[in-house]
Structure formats: structure tokens, C-alpha cells
Amino acid sequence: NAIHGSIVKGKSAYVYGKGLCYENENILEQAKFQLWLENANRYETWNEVFEKICKYFELFNGFALQIIWNRMQQIAEVYCMEFSKLRRSKDGKKILYCDKWVDEKGKPVYSPESDSSYKSYDIFNPNIRTGTQIFYFKTDHPSSQKYGHLYPIPEYGQCVADIETDVEITSFHFFNLKNGMFASALLSLFNGEPTEDEKKKIRKMFNYTHAGTLNTGKVIFSFNPQGGTPPKLDSLTPDKLDKMFEQLGKRLQQNIFTGHRVDPVLFGVMTE
């Protein structure tokens, strides 16, 4: 969804700001912390990790960091993990990682532990400084569901239905224009039953002469017995559908901004 995506990216960019910095008049201290900021892990700076944290936090209301301890019981490396690929154990003490919690059709995989990517980690504990641990942060919220306390709820959770509805409306218009979902009219011809080749020629001639953008809205042809009745065109789409979608679109947009608790102006949307 364009609005939802823009808000999530915009909010994370606002939170990230100009990134992390450290200022100290002592040159040695400044150099020491600057070196630390440049080395969150062997591949990334702390600002690169922080930018990922901002995005995951705005998207999920939580984030996870992979903490790797060295032999001197010091933090050697920190990575920001892909939050959607993590699950928590029922007791909340283990963090489970897998690339395939769901299959290609979006259905749950009932034996994810059989996948080669499956791993189990201890949750972060500063008193046990060994191996690899996961710092799992989430905002707390009340939940009546079993194990509901283990996972965060996105800040925009109340407007998910509005986001999905807006997506479906966009898809409706898109496929209508691409002529991929339904017919918009029924054309009845009363000149008798032509041959299959003649039917194809009639359809081709009509579409070439009268079809709009990429053959918008398919036309169903009905060939009826000859009886002197002129051709009849019946619309198959409800009247004033465009007005209904226009009003609904404004309502959905307002609900999405309300669910995110943001001012539309901050994201380039002018309102009355």
C-alpha cells in the first residue's frame, strides 16, 4: 500500500535522523568512540545497524539484535536480524530462526526444524557472556490470546483492515483497466448465430474500434436468433461506482493516518 509504505519509511527516516554520533573535546575519547561507531560487526557500522532497527521497529513495534560474545566475555559483534523470521519459544527463553515458517502459498510449515536454516538461540543475558544470544525487544501490550504476550502488535494494527481494503481497491481498478478480472458490459446481437471464425472477427473489430486503455473492461458478446431487434448494450458494473470508491478512498486514507498517529502533511499529503 503506497500510503502505508510511505508512512513506515518516513517515520523510520525521521527517527534515524542523521544517525548516531559522539562529540567530545578530548581527541582521544572522540577517536575511541568514533572507532566503536564504525564497527558494529565485521561488515557494518553502527549507523547501518541503527537504520535497520528503525525500519523494523516502525514495521513490527519490535526488533532483534544478534549478540556475539568473544572469549574475553566482551561483545565482539552485533547484527540486526530480520524480525519476521524469528519466533519465540513458549517459555520465552529461546529465540528460533527459520527462513521458511510459511510455504510458497503462505501456509504454516509444521516442521520448520527440518529446514537447513532453522536455528535456536538463547535470549540475551548479560550474566552469561558466551556464544551467540538474541536481544529481543518489543513494546508491551495487553493480550487475551494464549502466548499473545510473546509478540508485539504494530502501532498501526487497528488500521490493517483499512490498508488491505485500499490495496484491494487499487487491484480492482488495475485489473479492470488491464481487462483481467471481469466483464463490464454485455453486447447482445440479434443477427443469428455466426460461425466461430465470424465471432472472432466481430469481437476483434469491436475491440479495435471501441476498446479503451488496454482493452479496458471486457465485453461479453451474446449472439441471438435473428429477429429484427437492434443491438443492445447492457452495463454489468454498478452505477456511480467511481463516486463510491472516491468517498471510500478518502475514509481509508484518513483511517490509515489515524492508525499510524501521524500528520499527513509530514508525508507530503495536503489536507483541507
Side-chain angles (χ1 to χ4, degrees), residues 21-66:
C21 63
Y22 180 81
E23 295 182 4
N24 194 312
E25 293 182 357
N26 187 312
I27 298 178
L28 292 178
E29 285 290 311
Q30 176 71 28
K32 174 185 175 181
F33 281 97
Q34 189 63 38
L35 179 63
W36 181 84
L37 284 172
E38 293 296 323
N39 295 278
N41 54 63
R42 70 189 74 177
Y43 306 106
E44 300 171 300
T45 67
W46 264 107
N47 271 316
E48 290 173 316
V49 172
F50 179 49
E51 188 174 14
K52 292 180 180 179
I53 291 174
C54 293
K55 290 179 180 178
Y56 283 125
F57 190 69
E58 290 303 331
L59 194 58
F60 297 104
N61 235 357
F63 64 89
L65 299 177
Q66 183 182 32

mmCIF file of all heavy atoms in Angstrom, residues 21-66:
data_model
loop_
_atom_site.group_PDB
_atom_site.id
_atom_site.type_symbol
_atom_site.label_atom_id
_atom_site.label_comp_id
_atom_site.label_asym_id
_atom_site.label_seq_id
_atom_site.Cartn_x
_atom_site.Cartn_y
_atom_site.Cartn_z
ATOM 1 N N CYS A 21 26.037 9.722 16.575
ATOM 2 C CA CYS A 21 27.317 10.447 16.571
ATOM 3 C C CYS A 21 27.784 10.627 18.009
ATOM 4 O O CYS A 21 27.020 10.433 18.954
ATOM 5 C CB CYS A 21 27.183 11.792 15.866
ATOM 6 S SG CYS A 21 26.034 12.923 16.688
ATOM 7 N N TYR A 22 29.036 10.967 18.172
ATOM 8 C CA TYR A 22 29.594 11.209 19.501
ATOM 9 C C TYR A 22 30.542 12.391 19.412
ATOM 10 O O TYR A 22 31.406 12.434 18.529
ATOM 11 C CB TYR A 22 30.342 9.960 20.003
ATOM 12 C CG TYR A 22 30.948 10.135 21.374
ATOM 13 C CD1 TYR A 22 30.174 9.985 22.515
ATOM 14 C CD2 TYR A 22 32.295 10.466 21.525
ATOM 15 C CE1 TYR A 22 30.714 10.138 23.780
ATOM 16 C CE2 TYR A 22 32.857 10.630 22.774
ATOM 17 C CZ TYR A 22 32.057 10.472 23.909
ATOM 18 O OH TYR A 22 32.611 10.635 25.158
ATOM 19 N N GLU A 23 30.363 13.333 20.305
ATOM 20 C CA GLU A 23 31.203 14.536 20.293
ATOM 21 C C GLU A 23 31.865 14.722 21.654
ATOM 22 O O GLU A 23 31.194 14.697 22.689
ATOM 23 C CB GLU A 23 30.369 15.774 19.935
ATOM 24 C CG GLU A 23 29.813 15.746 18.514
ATOM 25 C CD GLU A 23 29.029 17.004 18.179
ATOM 26 O OE1 GLU A 23 28.994 17.908 19.038
ATOM 27 O OE2 GLU A 23 28.466 17.066 17.076
ATOM 28 N N ASN A 24 33.174 14.875 21.632
ATOM 29 C CA ASN A 24 33.934 15.060 22.859
ATOM 30 C C ASN A 24 35.144 15.930 22.555
ATOM 31 O O ASN A 24 35.809 15.750 21.529
ATOM 32 C CB ASN A 24 34.369 13.689 23.408
ATOM 33 C CG ASN A 24 34.862 13.776 24.841
ATOM 34 O OD1 ASN A 24 35.679 14.634 25.194
ATOM 35 N ND2 ASN A 24 34.365 12.867 25.680
ATOM 36 N N GLU A 25 35.420 16.881 23.436
ATOM 37 C CA GLU A 25 36.562 17.768 23.222
ATOM 38 C C GLU A 25 37.885 17.014 23.325
ATOM 39 O O GLU A 25 38.897 17.439 22.772
ATOM 40 C CB GLU A 25 36.521 18.915 24.238
ATOM 41 C CG GLU A 25 35.337 19.861 24.018
ATOM 42 C CD GLU A 25 35.347 21.007 25.007
ATOM 43 O OE1 GLU A 25 36.248 21.027 25.887
ATOM 44 O OE2 GLU A 25 34.457 21.884 24.918
ATOM 45 N N ASN A 26 37.871 15.907 24.062
ATOM 46 C CA ASN A 26 39.073 15.085 24.185
ATOM 47 C C ASN A 26 39.259 14.295 22.888
ATOM 48 O O ASN A 26 38.430 13.443 22.539
ATOM 49 C CB ASN A 26 38.937 14.129 25.381
ATOM 50 C CG ASN A 26 40.213 13.361 25.662
ATOM 51 O OD1 ASN A 26 40.829 12.795 24.762
ATOM 52 N ND2 ASN A 26 40.612 13.326 26.935
ATOM 53 N N ILE A 27 40.322 14.566 22.182
ATOM 54 C CA ILE A 27 40.541 13.959 20.865
ATOM 55 C C ILE A 27 40.651 12.442 20.956
ATOM 56 O O ILE A 27 40.125 11.706 20.120
ATOM 57 C CB ILE A 27 41.803 14.546 20.201
ATOM 58 C CG1 ILE A 27 41.619 16.050 19.966
ATOM 59 C CG2 ILE A 27 42.090 13.833 18.875
ATOM 60 C CD1 ILE A 27 42.827 16.713 19.350
ATOM 61 N N LEU A 28 41.323 11.952 22.004
ATOM 62 C CA LEU A 28 41.485 10.505 22.164
ATOM 63 C C LEU A 28 40.137 9.822 22.412
ATOM 64 O O LEU A 28 39.858 8.752 21.862
ATOM 65 C CB LEU A 28 42.470 10.207 23.303
ATOM 66 C CG LEU A 28 43.929 10.601 23.062
ATOM 67 C CD1 LEU A 28 44.777 10.296 24.291
ATOM 68 C CD2 LEU A 28 44.484 9.888 21.839
ATOM 69 N N GLU A 29 39.317 10.452 23.262
ATOM 70 C CA GLU A 29 37.986 9.898 23.531
ATOM 71 C C GLU A 29 37.129 9.927 22.267
ATOM 72 O O GLU A 29 36.404 8.981 21.970
ATOM 73 C CB GLU A 29 37.302 10.701 24.645
ATOM 74 C CG GLU A 29 37.833 10.415 26.036
ATOM 75 C CD GLU A 29 37.441 9.030 26.519
ATOM 76 O OE1 GLU A 29 36.247 8.692 26.417
ATOM 77 O OE2 GLU A 29 38.330 8.297 26.972
ATOM 78 N N GLN A 30 37.251 11.020 21.544
ATOM 79 C CA GLN A 30 36.496 11.162 20.293
ATOM 80 C C GLN A 30 36.891 10.064 19.308
ATOM 81 O O GLN A 30 36.033 9.427 18.686
ATOM 82 C CB GLN A 30 36.765 12.535 19.676
ATOM 83 C CG GLN A 30 36.097 12.760 18.325
ATOM 84 C CD GLN A 30 34.594 12.913 18.426
ATOM 85 O OE1 GLN A 30 34.091 13.355 19.448
ATOM 86 N NE2 GLN A 30 33.879 12.533 17.380
ATOM 87 N N ALA A 31 38.177 9.829 19.172
ATOM 88 C CA ALA A 31 38.668 8.805 18.248
ATOM 89 C C ALA A 31 38.248 7.410 18.693
ATOM 90 O O ALA A 31 37.895 6.555 17.861
ATOM 91 C CB ALA A 31 40.184 8.888 18.143
ATOM 92 N N LYS A 32 38.265 7.182 20.006
ATOM 93 C CA LYS A 32 37.888 5.881 20.558
ATOM 94 C C LYS A 32 36.440 5.536 20.227
ATOM 95 O O LYS A 32 36.138 4.432 19.742
ATOM 96 C CB LYS A 32 38.106 5.894 22.075
ATOM 97 C CG LYS A 32 37.611 4.639 22.778
ATOM 98 C CD LYS A 32 37.755 4.787 24.281
ATOM 99 C CE LYS A 32 37.154 3.599 25.016
ATOM 100 N NZ LYS A 32 37.264 3.747 26.497
ATOM 101 N N PHE A 33 35.539 6.471 20.465
ATOM 102 C CA PHE A 33 34.129 6.196 20.219
ATOM 103 C C PHE A 33 33.791 6.228 18.738
ATOM 104 O O PHE A 33 32.867 5.554 18.290
ATOM 105 C CB PHE A 33 33.259 7.190 21.002
ATOM 106 C CG PHE A 33 33.130 6.840 22.454
ATOM 107 C CD1 PHE A 33 33.946 7.432 23.397
ATOM 108 C CD2 PHE A 33 32.200 5.894 22.874
ATOM 109 C CE1 PHE A 33 33.838 7.107 24.739
ATOM 110 C CE2 PHE A 33 32.092 5.566 24.211
ATOM 111 C CZ PHE A 33 32.910 6.167 25.157
ATOM 112 N N GLN A 34 34.538 7.019 17.981
ATOM 113 C CA GLN A 34 34.333 7.026 16.531
ATOM 114 C C GLN A 34 34.692 5.665 15.947
ATOM 115 O O GLN A 34 34.002 5.150 15.053
ATOM 116 C CB GLN A 34 35.173 8.119 15.880
ATOM 117 C CG GLN A 34 34.859 8.339 14.399
ATOM 118 C CD GLN A 34 33.428 8.810 14.177
ATOM 119 O OE1 GLN A 34 32.893 9.599 14.954
ATOM 120 N NE2 GLN A 34 32.800 8.298 13.128
ATOM 121 N N LEU A 35 35.758 5.089 16.472
ATOM 122 C CA LEU A 35 36.168 3.747 16.034
ATOM 123 C C LEU A 35 35.102 2.721 16.390
ATOM 124 O O LEU A 35 34.797 1.820 15.607
ATOM 125 C CB LEU A 35 37.504 3.368 16.678
ATOM 126 C CG LEU A 35 38.052 1.979 16.324
ATOM 127 C CD1 LEU A 35 38.353 1.879 14.831
ATOM 128 C CD2 LEU A 35 39.299 1.677 17.151
ATOM 129 N N TRP A 36 34.525 2.877 17.579
ATOM 130 C CA TRP A 36 33.449 1.959 18.003
ATOM 131 C C TRP A 36 32.237 2.086 17.082
ATOM 132 O O TRP A 36 31.654 1.073 16.680
ATOM 133 C CB TRP A 36 33.047 2.276 19.443
ATOM 134 C CG TRP A 36 31.969 1.363 19.959
ATOM 135 C CD1 TRP A 36 32.122 0.120 20.500
ATOM 136 C CD2 TRP A 36 30.562 1.636 19.970
ATOM 137 N NE1 TRP A 36 30.897 -0.400 20.840
ATOM 138 C CE2 TRP A 36 29.927 0.500 20.535
ATOM 139 C CE3 TRP A 36 29.777 2.727 19.575
ATOM 140 C CZ2 TRP A 36 28.543 0.431 20.702
ATOM 141 C CZ3 TRP A 36 28.413 2.648 19.735
ATOM 142 C CH2 TRP A 36 27.798 1.522 20.297
ATOM 143 N N LEU A 37 31.856 3.317 16.716
ATOM 144 C CA LEU A 37 30.699 3.523 15.841
ATOM 145 C C LEU A 37 30.917 2.923 14.458
ATOM 146 O O LEU A 37 29.955 2.567 13.780
ATOM 147 C CB LEU A 37 30.398 5.025 15.705
ATOM 148 C CG LEU A 37 29.724 5.706 16.889
ATOM 149 C CD1 LEU A 37 29.666 7.219 16.676
ATOM 150 C CD2 LEU A 37 28.323 5.161 17.112
ATOM 151 N N GLU A 38 32.152 2.807 14.045
ATOM 152 C CA GLU A 38 32.457 2.291 12.718
ATOM 153 C C GLU A 38 32.472 0.772 12.662
ATOM 154 O O GLU A 38 32.597 0.191 11.585
ATOM 155 C CB GLU A 38 33.811 2.829 12.245
ATOM 156 C CG GLU A 38 33.854 4.319 11.984
ATOM 157 C CD GLU A 38 32.940 4.728 10.839
ATOM 158 O OE1 GLU A 38 32.841 3.968 9.851
ATOM 159 O OE2 GLU A 38 32.306 5.799 10.939
ATOM 160 N N ASN A 39 32.329 0.117 13.815
ATOM 161 C CA ASN A 39 32.499 -1.339 13.837
ATOM 162 C C ASN A 39 31.448 -2.017 14.713
ATOM 163 O O ASN A 39 31.742 -2.511 15.810
ATOM 164 C CB ASN A 39 33.902 -1.696 14.342
ATOM 165 C CG ASN A 39 35.003 -1.239 13.414
ATOM 166 O OD1 ASN A 39 35.315 -1.898 12.428
ATOM 167 N ND2 ASN A 39 35.587 -0.086 13.726
ATOM 168 N N ALA A 40 30.216 -2.079 14.201
ATOM 169 C CA ALA A 40 29.192 -2.856 14.905
ATOM 170 C C ALA A 40 29.459 -4.340 14.699
ATOM 171 O O ALA A 40 29.247 -5.160 15.592
ATOM 172 C CB ALA A 40 27.798 -2.493 14.387
ATOM 173 N N ASN A 41 29.906 -4.675 13.497
ATOM 174 C CA ASN A 41 30.325 -6.042 13.175
ATOM 175 C C ASN A 41 31.341 -5.953 12.040
ATOM 176 O O ASN A 41 31.726 -4.856 11.626
ATOM 177 C CB ASN A 41 29.121 -6.916 12.791
ATOM 178 C CG ASN A 41 28.297 -6.308 11.660
ATOM 179 O OD1 ASN A 41 28.784 -6.131 10.546
ATOM 180 N ND2 ASN A 41 27.045 -5.966 11.957
ATOM 181 N N ARG A 42 31.761 -7.078 11.541
ATOM 182 C CA ARG A 42 32.839 -7.062 10.529
ATOM 183 C C ARG A 42 32.391 -6.493 9.192
ATOM 184 O O ARG A 42 33.222 -6.239 8.322
ATOM 185 C CB ARG A 42 33.383 -8.472 10.339
ATOM 186 C CG ARG A 42 32.458 -9.440 9.657
ATOM 187 C CD ARG A 42 32.974 -10.856 9.693
ATOM 188 N NE ARG A 42 32.825 -11.434 11.022
ATOM 189 C CZ ARG A 42 33.153 -12.688 11.322
ATOM 190 N NH1 ARG A 42 33.686 -13.460 10.388
ATOM 191 N NH2 ARG A 42 32.968 -13.153 12.538
ATOM 192 N N TYR A 43 31.078 -6.294 9.020
ATOM 193 C CA TYR A 43 30.565 -5.822 7.740
ATOM 194 C C TYR A 43 29.897 -4.444 7.815
ATOM 195 O O TYR A 43 29.821 -3.741 6.816
ATOM 196 C CB TYR A 43 29.545 -6.805 7.171
ATOM 197 C CG TYR A 43 30.048 -8.218 7.063
ATOM 198 C CD1 TYR A 43 29.604 -9.197 7.944
ATOM 199 C CD2 TYR A 43 30.972 -8.578 6.089
ATOM 200 C CE1 TYR A 43 30.055 -10.506 7.849
ATOM 201 C CE2 TYR A 43 31.441 -9.889 5.984
ATOM 202 C CZ TYR A 43 30.972 -10.851 6.880
ATOM 203 O OH TYR A 43 31.435 -12.133 6.777
ATOM 204 N N GLU A 44 29.399 -4.053 8.991
ATOM 205 C CA GLU A 44 28.549 -2.866 9.083
ATOM 206 C C GLU A 44 29.003 -1.923 10.185
ATOM 207 O O GLU A 44 29.608 -2.328 11.188
ATOM 208 C CB GLU A 44 27.101 -3.267 9.369
ATOM 209 C CG GLU A 44 26.469 -4.165 8.327
ATOM 210 C CD GLU A 44 25.128 -4.688 8.794
ATOM 211 O OE1 GLU A 44 25.095 -5.369 9.841
ATOM 212 O OE2 GLU A 44 24.107 -4.416 8.118
ATOM 213 N N THR A 45 28.656 -0.636 10.002
ATOM 214 C CA THR A 45 28.839 0.362 11.060
ATOM 215 C C THR A 45 27.598 0.339 11.955
ATOM 216 O O THR A 45 26.567 -0.253 11.614
ATOM 217 C CB THR A 45 29.007 1.760 10.464
ATOM 218 O OG1 THR A 45 27.760 2.160 9.853
ATOM 219 C CG2 THR A 45 30.102 1.789 9.416
ATOM 220 N N TRP A 46 27.687 1.021 13.101
ATOM 221 C CA TRP A 46 26.530 1.083 13.992
ATOM 222 C C TRP A 46 25.384 1.873 13.361
ATOM 223 O O TRP A 46 24.218 1.630 13.655
ATOM 224 C CB TRP A 46 26.920 1.696 15.341
ATOM 225 C CG TRP A 46 27.234 0.637 16.344
ATOM 226 C CD1 TRP A 46 28.450 0.271 16.833
ATOM 227 C CD2 TRP A 46 26.287 -0.243 16.974
ATOM 228 N NE1 TRP A 46 28.333 -0.763 17.713
ATOM 229 C CE2 TRP A 46 27.013 -1.096 17.830
ATOM 230 C CE3 TRP A 46 24.914 -0.382 16.903
ATOM 231 C CZ2 TRP A 46 26.407 -2.085 18.605
ATOM 232 C CZ3 TRP A 46 24.291 -1.366 17.667
ATOM 233 C CH2 TRP A 46 25.030 -2.199 18.502
ATOM 234 N N ASN A 47 25.705 2.828 12.503
ATOM 235 C CA ASN A 47 24.648 3.581 11.838
ATOM 236 C C ASN A 47 23.876 2.707 10.857
ATOM 237 O O ASN A 47 22.670 2.865 10.687
ATOM 238 C CB ASN A 47 25.224 4.807 11.116
ATOM 239 C CG ASN A 47 25.274 6.018 12.024
ATOM 240 O OD1 ASN A 47 24.330 6.294 12.754
ATOM 241 N ND2 ASN A 47 26.390 6.729 12.006
ATOM 242 N N GLU A 48 24.550 1.784 10.195
ATOM 243 C CA GLU A 48 23.876 0.860 9.295
ATOM 244 C C GLU A 48 22.960 -0.085 10.076
ATOM 245 O O GLU A 48 21.855 -0.398 9.642
ATOM 246 C CB GLU A 48 24.901 0.076 8.479
ATOM 247 C CG GLU A 48 25.633 0.929 7.446
ATOM 248 C CD GLU A 48 26.756 0.191 6.751
ATOM 249 O OE1 GLU A 48 27.522 -0.519 7.432
ATOM 250 O OE2 GLU A 48 26.872 0.324 5.518
ATOM 251 N N VAL A 49 23.429 -0.529 11.236
ATOM 252 C CA VAL A 49 22.605 -1.379 12.098
ATOM 253 C C VAL A 49 21.427 -0.576 12.657
ATOM 254 O O VAL A 49 20.295 -1.054 12.684
ATOM 255 C CB VAL A 49 23.453 -1.972 13.251
ATOM 256 C CG1 VAL A 49 22.565 -2.704 14.253
ATOM 257 C CG2 VAL A 49 24.515 -2.906 12.695
ATOM 258 N N PHE A 50 21.709 0.648 13.090
ATOM 259 C CA PHE A 50 20.666 1.505 13.659
ATOM 260 C C PHE A 50 19.566 1.809 12.649
ATOM 261 O O PHE A 50 18.376 1.853 12.980
ATOM 262 C CB PHE A 50 21.307 2.802 14.162
ATOM 263 C CG PHE A 50 20.328 3.784 14.757
ATOM 264 C CD1 PHE A 50 19.394 3.388 15.693
ATOM 265 C CD2 PHE A 50 20.346 5.118 14.362
ATOM 266 C CE1 PHE A 50 18.488 4.299 16.241
ATOM 267 C CE2 PHE A 50 19.446 6.029 14.893
ATOM 268 C CZ PHE A 50 18.516 5.612 15.834
ATOM 269 N N GLU A 51 19.944 2.013 11.384
ATOM 270 C CA GLU A 51 18.957 2.285 10.346
ATOM 271 C C GLU A 51 18.008 1.095 10.171
ATOM 272 O O GLU A 51 16.804 1.272 9.993
ATOM 273 C CB GLU A 51 19.664 2.590 9.023
ATOM 274 C CG GLU A 51 18.722 3.070 7.923
ATOM 275 C CD GLU A 51 19.456 3.511 6.679
ATOM 276 O OE1 GLU A 51 20.653 3.197 6.561
ATOM 277 O OE2 GLU A 51 18.831 4.157 5.818
ATOM 278 N N LYS A 52 18.536 -0.120 10.250
ATOM 279 C CA LYS A 52 17.693 -1.311 10.169
ATOM 280 C C LYS A 52 16.774 -1.416 11.383
ATOM 281 O O LYS A 52 15.596 -1.782 11.259
ATOM 282 C CB LYS A 52 18.565 -2.568 10.079
ATOM 283 C CG LYS A 52 19.348 -2.696 8.783
ATOM 284 C CD LYS A 52 20.184 -3.967 8.780
ATOM 285 C CE LYS A 52 20.966 -4.113 7.486
ATOM 286 N NZ LYS A 52 21.808 -5.338 7.485
ATOM 287 N N ILE A 53 17.299 -1.097 12.551
ATOM 288 C CA ILE A 53 16.491 -1.128 13.772
ATOM 289 C C ILE A 53 15.283 -0.208 13.641
ATOM 290 O O ILE A 53 14.159 -0.578 13.987
ATOM 291 C CB ILE A 53 17.341 -0.718 14.996
ATOM 292 C CG1 ILE A 53 18.372 -1.788 15.317
ATOM 293 C CG2 ILE A 53 16.451 -0.467 16.216
ATOM 294 C CD1 ILE A 53 19.348 -1.398 16.414
ATOM 295 N N CYS A 54 15.504 0.990 13.118
ATOM 296 C CA CYS A 54 14.414 1.965 12.951
ATOM 297 C C CYS A 54 13.321 1.412 12.043
ATOM 298 O O CYS A 54 12.125 1.557 12.329
ATOM 299 C CB CYS A 54 14.959 3.272 12.388
ATOM 300 S SG CYS A 54 16.060 4.166 13.510
ATOM 301 N N LYS A 55 13.711 0.767 10.949
ATOM 302 C CA LYS A 55 12.735 0.238 10.000
ATOM 303 C C LYS A 55 11.930 -0.901 10.610
ATOM 304 O O LYS A 55 10.713 -0.951 10.501
ATOM 305 C CB LYS A 55 13.450 -0.233 8.732
ATOM 306 C CG LYS A 55 14.007 0.902 7.897
ATOM 307 C CD LYS A 55 14.730 0.394 6.658
ATOM 308 C CE LYS A 55 15.278 1.547 5.833
ATOM 309 N NZ LYS A 55 16.033 1.068 4.644
ATOM 310 N N TYR A 56 12.629 -1.848 11.278
ATOM 311 C CA TYR A 56 11.921 -2.978 11.873
ATOM 312 C C TYR A 56 11.010 -2.522 13.010
ATOM 313 O O TYR A 56 9.908 -3.056 13.189
ATOM 314 C CB TYR A 56 12.925 -4.016 12.396
ATOM 315 C CG TYR A 56 13.543 -4.853 11.299
ATOM 316 C CD1 TYR A 56 14.927 -4.935 11.157
ATOM 317 C CD2 TYR A 56 12.756 -5.551 10.389
ATOM 318 C CE1 TYR A 56 15.502 -5.693 10.146
ATOM 319 C CE2 TYR A 56 13.321 -6.313 9.379
ATOM 320 C CZ TYR A 56 14.687 -6.377 9.264
ATOM 321 O OH TYR A 56 15.249 -7.124 8.265
ATOM 322 N N PHE A 57 11.469 -1.541 13.779
ATOM 323 C CA PHE A 57 10.659 -1.071 14.904
ATOM 324 C C PHE A 57 9.379 -0.396 14.425
ATOM 325 O O PHE A 57 8.309 -0.577 15.016
ATOM 326 C CB PHE A 57 11.466 -0.112 15.776
ATOM 327 C CG PHE A 57 10.775 0.228 17.069
ATOM 328 C CD1 PHE A 57 10.629 -0.727 18.059
ATOM 329 C CD2 PHE A 57 10.255 1.488 17.287
ATOM 330 C CE1 PHE A 57 9.980 -0.430 19.248
ATOM 331 C CE2 PHE A 57 9.600 1.793 18.460
ATOM 332 C CZ PHE A 57 9.464 0.833 19.457
ATOM 333 N N GLU A 58 9.455 0.382 13.348
ATOM 334 C CA GLU A 58 8.257 1.033 12.817
ATOM 335 C C GLU A 58 7.323 0.017 12.148
ATOM 336 O O GLU A 58 6.115 0.201 12.147
ATOM 337 C CB GLU A 58 8.636 2.135 11.827
ATOM 338 C CG GLU A 58 9.286 3.348 12.460
ATOM 339 C CD GLU A 58 8.425 3.989 13.532
ATOM 340 O OE1 GLU A 58 7.183 3.888 13.444
ATOM 341 O OE2 GLU A 58 8.980 4.566 14.472
ATOM 342 N N LEU A 59 7.890 -1.040 11.600
ATOM 343 C CA LEU A 59 7.083 -2.036 10.901
ATOM 344 C C LEU A 59 6.451 -3.037 11.859
ATOM 345 O O LEU A 59 5.282 -3.416 11.705
ATOM 346 C CB LEU A 59 7.952 -2.776 9.878
ATOM 347 C CG LEU A 59 7.230 -3.613 8.826
ATOM 348 C CD1 LEU A 59 6.254 -2.759 8.014
ATOM 349 C CD2 LEU A 59 8.230 -4.276 7.903
ATOM 350 N N PHE A 60 7.195 -3.472 12.890
ATOM 351 C CA PHE A 60 6.716 -4.534 13.779
ATOM 352 C C PHE A 60 6.474 -4.092 15.225
ATOM 353 O O PHE A 60 5.895 -4.856 16.002
ATOM 354 C CB PHE A 60 7.729 -5.682 13.799
ATOM 355 C CG PHE A 60 7.922 -6.354 12.470
ATOM 356 C CD1 PHE A 60 9.061 -6.102 11.717
ATOM 357 C CD2 PHE A 60 6.981 -7.228 11.976
ATOM 358 C CE1 PHE A 60 9.255 -6.724 10.491
ATOM 359 C CE2 PHE A 60 7.161 -7.856 10.756
ATOM 360 C CZ PHE A 60 8.295 -7.599 10.007
ATOM 361 N N ASN A 61 6.971 -2.902 15.611
ATOM 362 C CA ASN A 61 6.959 -2.477 17.010
ATOM 363 C C ASN A 61 7.916 -3.339 17.835
ATOM 364 O O ASN A 61 7.674 -3.603 19.021
ATOM 365 C CB ASN A 61 5.556 -2.507 17.615
ATOM 366 C CG ASN A 61 5.164 -1.168 18.210
ATOM 367 O OD1 ASN A 61 5.959 -0.225 18.228
ATOM 368 N ND2 ASN A 61 3.949 -1.067 18.713
ATOM 369 N N GLY A 62 8.962 -3.800 17.191
ATOM 370 C CA GLY A 62 9.977 -4.594 17.859
ATOM 371 C C GLY A 62 11.174 -4.775 16.948
ATOM 372 O O GLY A 62 11.106 -4.500 15.752
ATOM 373 N N PHE A 63 12.288 -5.221 17.516
ATOM 374 C CA PHE A 63 13.478 -5.525 16.726
ATOM 375 C C PHE A 63 14.317 -6.539 17.497
ATOM 376 O O PHE A 63 14.085 -6.784 18.690
ATOM 377 C CB PHE A 63 14.290 -4.264 16.410
ATOM 378 C CG PHE A 63 14.859 -3.575 17.629
ATOM 379 C CD1 PHE A 63 16.115 -3.929 18.119
ATOM 380 C CD2 PHE A 63 14.148 -2.572 18.278
ATOM 381 C CE1 PHE A 63 16.640 -3.300 19.243
ATOM 382 C CE2 PHE A 63 14.663 -1.937 19.398
ATOM 383 C CZ PHE A 63 15.913 -2.306 19.881
ATOM 384 N N ALA A 64 15.274 -7.136 16.823
ATOM 385 C CA ALA A 64 16.120 -8.146 17.462
ATOM 386 C C ALA A 64 17.566 -7.962 17.025
ATOM 387 O O ALA A 64 17.843 -7.725 15.846
ATOM 388 C CB ALA A 64 15.634 -9.544 17.104
ATOM 389 N N LEU A 65 18.481 -8.081 17.981
ATOM 390 C CA LEU A 65 19.907 -7.959 17.711
ATOM 391 C C LEU A 65 20.608 -9.270 18.047
ATOM 392 O O LEU A 65 20.375 -9.851 19.104
ATOM 393 C CB LEU A 65 20.523 -6.824 18.534
ATOM 394 C CG LEU A 65 19.975 -5.415 18.289
ATOM 395 C CD1 LEU A 65 20.640 -4.429 19.241
ATOM 396 C CD2 LEU A 65 20.182 -4.994 16.855
ATOM 397 N N GLN A 66 21.445 -9.714 17.143
ATOM 398 C CA GLN A 66 22.260 -10.901 17.379
ATOM 399 C C GLN A 66 23.556 -10.469 18.057
ATOM 400 O O GLN A 66 24.354 -9.729 17.482
ATOM 401 C CB GLN A 66 22.553 -11.616 16.067
ATOM 402 C CG GLN A 66 23.330 -12.914 16.230
ATOM 403 C CD GLN A 66 23.633 -13.573 14.899
ATOM 404 O OE1 GLN A 66 23.813 -12.890 13.888
ATOM 405 N NE2 GLN A 66 23.690 -14.897 14.880
#
